[in-house]
Amino acid sequence: MKIINKKINLGVNIDHVATLRNARGELFPSIIDAADIALKSGADSITAHLREDRRHINDSDIKDIVTNFPGKLNLEMAATEEMLNIALNIKPFSCCIVPEKREELTTEGGLDVLSKHNQLKKFIDPLRDAGIRTSFFVDADEVQLEKSADLDVDCLEIHCGSYCRAFDRSLNTCEDEFKKISNIAKLASQLGIEVHAGHGLNYETTKMLSSINEIEELNIGFFIISESLFKGLDIVIRDIKNCMSEGRSLGEEN
Ligand code: PXP
């Protein structure tokens, strides 16, 4: 059965506002001002990744976001005891569990839910019990979906890095990567899991991914913050929202 027009939300990842701030060790640009503009311009939530090495967002940023914008923080974090304690203490609206390697520039791939099954179970049960929406960042892979469903996670965020890279470089793998995402989105939705997508999106790939009706949330960071240097954050967010609406209409036509 075709699902028509499920709502699609935008989470704006503000990590790289903090990257810029930390580059000079100053108090600006303010991540709170960025979050405020993002929400006023149509973002539905604010995403921030508290990394083990605190290279961009730090502990006080997380507290400030939760205090200033209750119910709006999607906290990305690795499945470590330190992060679990922080999440249970600050109680964000949702937690997206991501793999983390110290030496990587960004989150390079999805979580291996298969090999980390027991560790993840111990991790997400307390979060769910505390009323926090749980999400796993995974590659578009059926085994990962199956193992995630076993753990009763609320949402799956599909890592779109390979697709976006292929699209941007006009690689012939692009169509296959898109099909993989679309297939996992459909299967996850049939299992009652809310489907999100993120990593590497720009205007074009936002439009394409929004055409997949089962995707209910996109999380976008680096492109939005980069583009806002030229156009301003409010305008970029409105333009991204327009791409999402255009993409959704394409999905309805197909
Ligand atoms: N979603 C998740 C789970 C991520 O880890 C990231 C990158 O931190 C993003 C979305 C945003 O990716 P990008 O900054 O490439 O838009």
Side-chain angles (χ1 to χ4, degrees):
M1 192 183 62
K2 192 163 155 40
I3 302 164
I4 305 284
N5 202 22
K6 264 195 176 178
K7 186 177 182 314
I8 182 162
N9 289 323
L10 172 65
V12 174
N13 180 314
I14 57 168
D15 291 350
H16 295 299
V17 177
T19 302
L20 192 56
R21 176 196 64 193
N22 296 356
R24 284 287 292 266
E26 295 291 349
L27 300 174
F28 63 91
S30 152
I31 57 131
I32 292 303
D33 288 352
D36 189 41
I37 292 172
L39 291 168
K40 284 183 177 145
S41 309
D44 300 282
S45 57
I46 297 300
T47 294
H49 184 174
L50 185 64
R51 280 186 169 266
E52 186 198 11
D53 62 10
R54 311 301 198 263
R55 68 176 71 159
H56 36 56
I57 293 291
N58 62 37
D59 300 61
S60 79
D61 291 333
I62 292 293
K63 280 196 199 109
D64 288 348
I65 299 169
V66 168
T67 309
N68 283 278
F69 312 104
K72 292 293 179 188
L73 175 65
N74 171 38
L75 176 63
E76 285 179 11
M77 60 189 192
T80 64
E81 208 177 314
E82 181 200 15
M83 290 300 153
L84 180 59
N85 290 334
I86 291 172
L88 292 174
N89 188 27
I90 60 149
K91 294 209 171 52
F93 164 65
S94 64
C95 277
C96 180
I97 316 306
V98 301
E100 200 172 296
K101 288 190 219 125
R102 202 169 250 272
E103 65 279 10
E104 69 191 355
L105 286 179
T106 181
T107 315
E108 284 164 358
L111 205 57
D112 188 359
V113 186
L114 179 63
S115 70
K116 301 234 166 1
H117 197 266
N118 294 343
Q119 181 193 349
L120 288 169
K121 177 154 182 54
K122 280 192 224 132
F123 200 83
I124 69 162
D125 285 351
L127 291 175
R128 201 186 304 102
D129 293 347
I132 300 168
R133 183 182 79 166
T134 55
S135 176
F136 289 158
F137 191 38
V138 293
D139 292 329
D141 177 302
E142 285 191 34
V143 174
Q144 300 300 337
L145 166 62
E146 201 184 296
K147 293 293 158 194
S148 303
D150 279 355
L151 289 175
D152 218 8
V153 72
D154 299 309
C155 318
L156 274 193
E157 179 165 339
I158 304 175
H159 193 304
C160 299
S162 304
Y163 166 64
C164 291
R165 194 163 268 260
F167 184 98
D168 294 346
R169 288 162 181 72
S170 306
L171 304 181
N172 52 18
T173 51
C174 180
E175 206 173 311
D176 280 351
E177 294 293 346
F178 185 82
K179 279 190 196 143
K180 277 195 232 166
I181 295 171
S182 164
N183 175 48
I184 292 297
K186 285 180 178 49
L187 293 174
S189 175
Q190 281 162 10
L191 293 172
I193 300 175
E194 188 175 315
V195 185
H196 304 167
H199 210 281
L201 277 66
N202 58 21
Y203 294 131
E204 287 79 21
T205 43
T206 292
K207 209 181 288 177
M208 295 301 293
L209 289 163
S210 301
S211 74
I212 302 173
N213 275 307
E214 289 78 8
I215 294 181
E216 295 184 60
E217 181 176 302
L218 296 179
N219 281 299
I220 313 177
F222 192 63
F223 178 78
I224 288 182
I225 304 306
S226 306
E227 187 76 349
S228 70
L229 290 174
F230 307 108
K231 289 165 77 173
L233 187 55
D234 53 342
I235 294 173
V236 179
I237 288 170
R238 287 194 189 109
D239 289 350
I240 282 279
K241 291 283 286 190
N242 286 338
C243 291
M244 289 166 74
S245 306
E246 268 183 58
R248 220 31 160 203
S249 332
L250 282 176
E252 283 171 40
E253 284 162 17
N254 294 333

